[in-house]
Amino acid sequence: MAWSAEKLARLQQTFSNATGGDLQDPKGQRIAEKIFSEGGRRPAPYAGMPTLLDAPHIAFADGEDISRLDVALYGVPMDLGVTNRNGSRFGPRALRSIERVGPYNDALECAPIHEMLVADIGDVPMQSRFDLTQSHADIQDFVSKIIAKDVIPLGVGGDHSISHPILKAVAKNGPVGMIHIDAHCDTGGSYEGEKFHHGGPFRNAVLDGLLDPERTIQIGIRGAAKYIWEFSEMSGMTVVEAASITDANLPHIIAKARDVIGDGPTYFSFDIDSLDPAYAPGTGTPEVGGLTTREALKLIRGMKGANLVGGDVVEVAPAYDPTTNTAQNGAQMLFEILSLMQFSPSRTSN
């Protein structure tokens, strides 16, 4: 049908005086009503105090109550466990500086900050900037207090060694499964007398009875350290190498992951070095041949409905990326995992 004055008149009648928050699609209007205020106003993403994903702030370490929350976002500015380049202690600050991620997830059709009770509750208060053992104890204590409030913890590191003390808190009632997206399995042994480094948290978690290896899948694995990771397969973990990931078999990998984790409680750990350095150069142990951002998004979004009880995004070291793309992608992956938590059976409120 040809364009006509009548069609133009209908568009003018419908949209001429509509604000950005006035939508005709009921699904879109449902979201807009949560985000827009009167007159089509939204908070400016570049104004105010920066927080993780622009969530409201609660000063948990200062005694403020978080018991009403569904999910607590928090920072872990600690990188004493690295084996190569340091700097991921600045990861939480870098992700807070990213001013525009969400608030709507177009793939999962949700707006998690607006449809759940979520807050940035600040950083783990570290008692020492030099003592790895003390830092891990501080992390476990902080996350245990979140768990005690029946709130799902979602952290930002920091190096990957933080996942072990987090799992000590999350798995207090029994071992959990895990979706682990990374370039490295992080199941190495002791290096130079230290076994709680960022290359070994998941070996330690299995040996401590915190992580069920047969309900663990590791995706994106590659690189020169492959020979170190025998513990993963020998313990029963499912390992998916980056070289095997293609658009054609992504649905199969997602289905395999869902089968591995089942319906039980599951932790989600995302290391930014799972992405190819073209997308995330700002990290301590970059590995070429990694995931694209599009592949990572498909993998994460394919886990909708998983019974997530916690998660983390780690190893963003912003000093090695003047473009801020690494932090941007880290914040996006954090947002995607938070979006999954909206559909997790472990949420205490709806």
Side-chain angles (χ1 to χ4, degrees), residues 80-83 131-133 136 161 188-200 204:
L80 296 175
V82 298
T83 56
D131 189 333
L132 178 62
T133 301
H136 284 171
S161 73
S190 174
Y191 299 157
E192 298 148 33
E194 177 59 69
K195 70 176 182 177
F196 296 110
H197 51 79
H198 75 160
N204 296 327

Side-chain angles (χ1 to χ4, degrees), residues 26-283:
K27 290 195 298 184
Q29 185 61 35
R30 175 182 67 85
I31 300 297
E33 287 173 356
K34 299 177 184 296
I35 296 173
F36 284 85
S37 59
E38 186 178 354
R41 294 181 176 84
R42 293 176 296 170
Y46 48 80
M49 183 181 74
T51 61
L52 294 168
L53 303 180
D54 288 329
H57 173 62
I58 294 178
F60 183 48
D62 294 335
E64 293 188 25
D65 183 41
I66 65 167
S67 58
R68 63 186 180 85
L69 297 180
D70 291 304
V71 180
L73 304 172
Y74 65 100
V76 190
M78 195 284 298
D79 61 7
L80 296 175
V82 298
T83 56
N84 192 36
R85 304 190 302 193
N86 61 7
S88 60
R89 66 182 64 183
F90 293 100
R93 182 170 290 185
L95 265 64
R96 288 187 175 105
S97 73
I98 299 301
E99 74 283 352
R100 191 178 181 277
V101 172
Y104 180 61
N105 189 313
D106 60 324
L108 299 180
E109 296 185 334
C110 65
I113 295 292
H114 297 275
E115 296 184 300
M116 292 192 292
L117 294 173
V118 181
D120 180 343
I121 65 169
D123 290 343
V124 175
M126 302 293 181
Q127 297 183 54
S128 172
R129 71 185 74 184
F130 306 109
D131 189 333
L132 178 62
T133 301
Q134 180 62 57
S135 295
H136 284 171
D138 293 338
I139 295 164
Q140 180 182 349
D141 179 66
F142 187 84
V143 179
S144 293
K145 291 175 181 176
I146 299 173
I147 299 292
K149 299 291 185 179
D150 291 325
V151 176
I152 299 175
L154 180 52
V156 176
D159 71 57
H160 221 153
S161 73
I162 71 170
S163 296
H164 182 220
I166 293 171
L167 285 167
K168 285 184 176 180
V170 170
K172 65 174 184 176
N173 294 322
V176 299
M178 183 174 66
I179 304 161
H180 175 207
I181 302 180
D182 200 327
H184 314 99
C185 288
D186 292 349
T187 51
S190 174
Y191 299 157
E192 298 148 33
E194 177 59 69
K195 70 176 182 177
F196 296 110
H197 51 79
H198 75 160
F202 303 123
R203 177 195 290 221
N204 296 327
V206 169
L207 295 178
D208 284 348
L210 310 171
L211 187 62
D212 181 349
E214 295 183 353
R215 292 189 53 241
T216 295
I217 186 165
Q218 301 182 301
I219 304 172
I221 307 305
R222 62 192 187 277
K226 179 182 175 182
Y227 70 98
I228 294 175
W229 309 132
E230 65 178 12
F231 180 88
S232 290
E233 293 185 351
M234 291 181 69
S235 66
M237 295 181 182
T238 300
V239 178
V240 179
E241 296 187 9
S244 70
I245 298 173
T246 64
D247 283 343
N249 73 354
L250 269 173
H252 171 74
I253 294 170
I254 291 168
K256 180 64 175 178
R258 299 303 298 260
D259 182 62
V260 167
I261 64 172
D263 297 326
T266 301
Y267 192 78
F268 200 127
S269 188
F270 188 95
D271 190 321
I272 200 67
D273 69 25
S274 63
L275 301 180
D276 190 88
Y279 304 94
T283 191

